[in-house]
Amino acid sequence: MDFFFVICSTLFLLIISYLRHKYQYWEQRGVPQLKMNFFYGNFFRIKTMHKTEIFHEVYKKFRGKAKLVGTYVFTKPVAVVLDLDLVKSILIKDFNKIADRFEQRKGSEGILHRHLLRLDGERWRPLRAKLTPTFTSAKMKFMFPTLVTVAQQLEEAFSKQLTKTSSGDVELHDLMGRFTTDVIGHCVFGVDCNSLKDPNVVFRRMGRRIFYPKYFSIRLHIFMTTYPALFKYLKFFNVQEHSKDLEDFMVQLVSDTVRLREEQTIHRNDFIDLLIELKNSKDTKGMSQMSIEVMVAQVYIFFAAGYETSSSNLSNGLYELAKNPHVQEKLRAEIKSILEKHNGELTYEAMMEMTYLDQVITETLRMYPAIGALTRVSTDNYKIPDTDITLEKGTHIYIPVTGIHNDPAIYDNPKEFRPERFHPDEMQKRHPQAFLGFGDGPRNCLGLRFGRMQVRVGLITLLKSYRFSLTEKTPKKLEISKNHLVLVPSSKVWLKAEKI
């Protein structure tokens, strides 16, 4: 019995010593850190998949006092950047030393992990260069009529939904998700998803699987993704980050689309057309520039990143416009005035003239960014400019987007919805990295033009015909879901719609 007690006591003391050593990592390097519990660290601070509660606490406590603050996710040291000049250095000036978004996994990786967001810098650079031509202004203009077609279907579905309710109350988040799903289906795959007509079509179901997975525990999932080497061993227990049926669906979809287009020589000048061109072209070594597996991964991330983020931006924007009717009327006046100028037709040129619309979208993204923090991993030892601090290779770095976007020293009265903040004259007064809704630097959001375009078209379509106001069902505040990496509403977004 005494021997057992000695063994247990020794093990306990060893664990305490190990954790104490781990939680002194930043102090030993002269970096201020968030106060930690000596035993469980930040365990009870972690309450959401996106971990913004930790970064918010760091930002609130150390803003204006330090360029960089250290904290921990379990025992993993992470650096939180608070200074905008340092943000610029990390994202742009010193990009070559901090080129990765995520810690790279050793060993085999699943098909859906080979996408642009996850690849290391060495594989990312050539792929980014190959994909960039898809998102030029010329390509956006070419895709625009397709968006308008889907927008007409949105207007029909919206009108039909209104006829089913005498109160005029409409739930917008699901409807906006169906709209963006159909847009991406048309522009990426060249197929009619029809989720605006049938919310249970396979595309919509798979979209929900991506963004609304069921986790046994938030902390357990974060633990697994913080130490990705675990997946190498968990696969023997059939534990996977992506379900097999989701991977099979994406592989089948891309393979069938490629085969159909090649057999019938179909050309649509869309995203998958560019991928087919890359697949069929050879590099200097005579090898195909893109395998079907890499094609699947890019299509997957385009679908995943494009549908939920834009649908949340749409529903969040309409929510704020309903709360701020003077902004809504000003935006509607701009939309109607420019449409009249173009004979009532929504053209690409007409959309680009709507500058206040763009300010409304950007202000919505400031208040409700798609992600709570930008992530980077140092690919080399990195000395913080004008300090004696050096980040070791492999250090996880977080840039707290929500903290920056809600900093009263940067945005006066940040809780107020004020699109005029993004008038060019006002933007010139702020630091260029004060807005990070689409990231920044070489690894910014590749599809930002497409994302903005589908949100613009969606807002124009609804606001030219309907006035939105609050209803009894409208939440007083849009709470953010705890269960997703991206920041999406945790509840339904109900508004009252009135035909103009």
Side-chain angles (χ1 to χ4, degrees):
M1 187 71 178
D2 290 342
F3 177 75
F4 180 74
F5 176 76
V6 170
I7 292 295
C8 289
S9 299
T10 303
L11 285 173
F12 180 74
L13 289 173
L14 286 173
I15 291 170
I16 292 295
S17 298
Y18 170 78
L19 291 175
R20 189 181 293 276
H21 171 71
K22 277 289 189 179
Y23 294 147
Q24 289 177 345
Y25 177 89
W26 289 116
E27 288 181 342
Q28 290 170 356
R29 287 156 179 78
V31 178
Q33 70 175 36
L34 196 62
K35 189 176 181 181
M36 306 283 296
N37 181 280
F38 75 95
F39 185 67
Y40 51 75
N42 276 335
F43 184 82
F44 291 107
R45 280 191 174 110
I46 298 173
K47 298 175 182 177
T48 66
M49 284 294 296
H50 41 77
K51 304 185 287 290
T52 52
E53 60 279 2
I54 295 178
F55 307 133
H56 176 74
E57 187 176 346
V58 169
Y59 198 89
K60 186 177 179 180
K61 184 171 183 179
F62 292 97
R63 175 176 57 87
K65 300 176 184 176
K67 286 187 172 184
L68 185 84
V69 174
T71 190
Y72 305 85
V73 177
F74 297 103
T75 59
K76 176 88 72 175
V78 300
V80 184
V81 182
L82 306 183
D83 178 75
L84 292 183
D85 287 333
L86 181 54
V87 170
K88 184 175 183 178
S89 295
I90 288 172
L91 296 181
I92 303 171
K93 290 182 179 178
D94 301 323
F95 171 76
N96 288 333
K97 291 190 174 182
I98 313 171
D100 290 355
R101 284 181 181 268
F102 304 102
E103 181 177 337
Q104 298 303 309
R105 298 179 184 180
K106 296 178 181 178
S108 61
E109 57 185 357
I111 291 174
L112 299 185
H113 282 123
R114 302 175 197 176
H115 57 74
L116 196 65
L117 264 67
R118 189 174 282 276
L119 291 181
D120 61 88
E122 189 175 331
R123 291 184 295 168
W124 167 83
R125 283 183 179 87
L127 183 59
R128 171 88 181 207
K130 293 171 185 176
L131 296 178
T132 296
T134 312
F135 299 98
T136 61
S137 297
K139 286 290 177 71
M140 295 302 101
K141 190 173 182 179
F142 183 86
M143 292 182 189
F144 186 78
T146 303
L147 263 78
V148 173
T149 299
V150 181
Q152 290 168 351
Q153 296 169 6
L154 168 64
E155 192 163 12
E156 291 170 8
F158 194 83
S159 176
K160 186 176 180 181
Q161 194 159 325
L162 270 184
T163 61
K164 296 178 180 178
T165 171
S166 57
S167 64
D169 293 354
V170 181
E171 202 290 302
L172 285 165
H173 190 235
D174 178 69
L175 188 63
M176 296 302 99
R178 287 153 58 191
F179 166 64
T180 55
T181 298
D182 285 0
V183 167
I184 292 170
H186 274 277
C187 294
V188 176
F189 308 107
V191 298
D192 295 325
C193 297
N194 289 321
S195 67
L196 280 167
K197 295 179 180 178
D198 179 4
N200 294 311
V201 294
V202 64
F203 268 89
R204 188 72 179 122
R205 293 202 308 273
M206 288 301 169
R208 290 196 194 101
R209 292 284 299 279
I210 294 169
F211 271 96
Y212 297 91
K214 295 179 180 178
Y215 298 120
F216 175 74
S217 164
I218 288 174
R219 292 187 180 106
L220 176 60
H221 189 81
I222 291 175
F223 184 81
M224 291 164 64
T225 53
T226 301
Y227 304 99
L230 287 172
F231 283 99
K232 181 179 178 180
Y233 304 101
L234 289 171
K235 68 181 181 181
F236 296 112
F237 301 95
N238 203 30
V239 175
Q240 298 174 325
E241 194 168 354
H242 297 293
S243 63
K244 187 70 168 60
D245 59 338
L246 174 60
E247 184 174 297
D248 290 344
F249 170 76
M250 297 304 299
V251 170
Q252 187 72 44
L253 177 66
V254 173
S255 300
D256 289 349
T257 303
V258 170
R259 185 175 63 252
L260 178 68
R261 292 199 182 191
E262 289 184 335
E263 288 177 355
Q264 299 185 15
T265 60
I266 298 170
H267 297 284
R268 293 176 55 94
N269 203 24
D270 55 11
F271 184 61
I272 209 160
D273 254 13
L274 175 70
L275 299 185
I276 292 171
E277 287 177 21
L278 291 170
K279 180 182 78 73
N280 294 332
S281 59
K282 307 293 182 183
D283 60 19
T284 53
K285 297 179 182 178
M287 303 291 289
S288 170
Q289 291 200 55
M290 184 169 289
S291 66
I292 196 75
E293 289 83 7
V294 175
M295 286 180 69
V296 169
Q298 309 325 308
V299 168
Y300 162 76
I301 198 60
F302 189 83
F303 175 56
Y307 114 82
E308 181 60 49
T309 53
S310 292
S311 64
S312 292
N313 192 213
L314 277 162
S315 50
N316 293 339
L318 288 167
Y319 172 80
E320 286 297 331
L321 290 170
K323 285 179 66 179
N324 299 273
H326 64 287
V327 177
Q328 184 179 164
E329 292 306 322
K330 181 177 178 178
L331 176 55
R332 184 177 293 106
E334 178 187 71
I335 291 170
K336 288 198 166 189
S337 172
I338 292 174
L339 287 179
E340 286 174 11
K341 181 179 165 185
H342 289 264
N343 300 316
E345 183 182 357
L346 177 54
T347 63
Y348 183 80
E349 290 73 19
M351 179 191 73
M352 295 303 291
E353 286 182 36
M354 298 178 187
T355 55
Y356 191 63
L357 171 63
D358 204 45
Q359 293 169 32
V360 167
I361 293 169
T362 308
E363 174 69 344
T364 303
L365 277 171
R366 181 195 67 80
M367 294 183 70
Y368 306 96
I371 54 174
L374 301 178
T375 58
R376 294 292 185 269
V377 176
S378 56
T379 50
D380 200 351
N381 290 342
Y382 177 62
K383 184 178 181 299
I384 303 297
D386 305 319
T387 72
D388 296 326
I389 300 167
T390 298
L391 300 182
E392 294 180 331
K393 179 181 179 180
T395 300
H396 289 222
I397 301 167
Y398 288 84
I399 298 169
V401 176
T402 51
I404 294 168
H405 284 192
N406 287 279
D407 189 338
I410 300 172
Y411 296 100
D412 175 50
N413 195 6
K415 299 299 180 185
E416 179 187 351
F417 185 71
R418 195 194 311 159
E420 289 79 7
R421 299 180 201 273
F422 292 95
H423 187 281
D425 293 341
E426 291 298 313
M427 291 176 66
Q428 288 295 322
K429 299 174 184 177
R430 291 192 297 271
H431 195 285
Q433 275 63 54
F435 176 75
L436 296 167
F438 290 98
D440 209 343
R443 288 199 85 148
N444 70 338
C445 176
L446 178 62
L448 70 89
R449 283 195 181 101
F450 183 85
R452 277 194 180 274
M453 185 168 70
Q454 66 175 339
V455 172
R456 284 166 170 161
V457 171
L459 288 176
I460 292 167
T461 300
L462 294 178
L463 290 170
K464 70 181 175 62
S465 302
Y466 299 94
R467 179 175 288 105
F468 293 89
S469 58
L470 305 179
T471 176
E472 290 181 0
K473 295 181 181 179
T474 306
K476 288 183 170 57
K477 180 183 176 183
L478 283 186
E479 299 292 344
I480 301 302
S481 172
K482 297 179 179 180
N483 301 312
H484 308 93
L485 286 172
V486 295
L487 308 185
V488 300
S490 61
S491 59
K492 295 181 177 181
V493 183
W494 287 93
L495 293 177
K496 182 182 179 68
E498 176 189 354
K499 180 76 173 174
I500 298 174

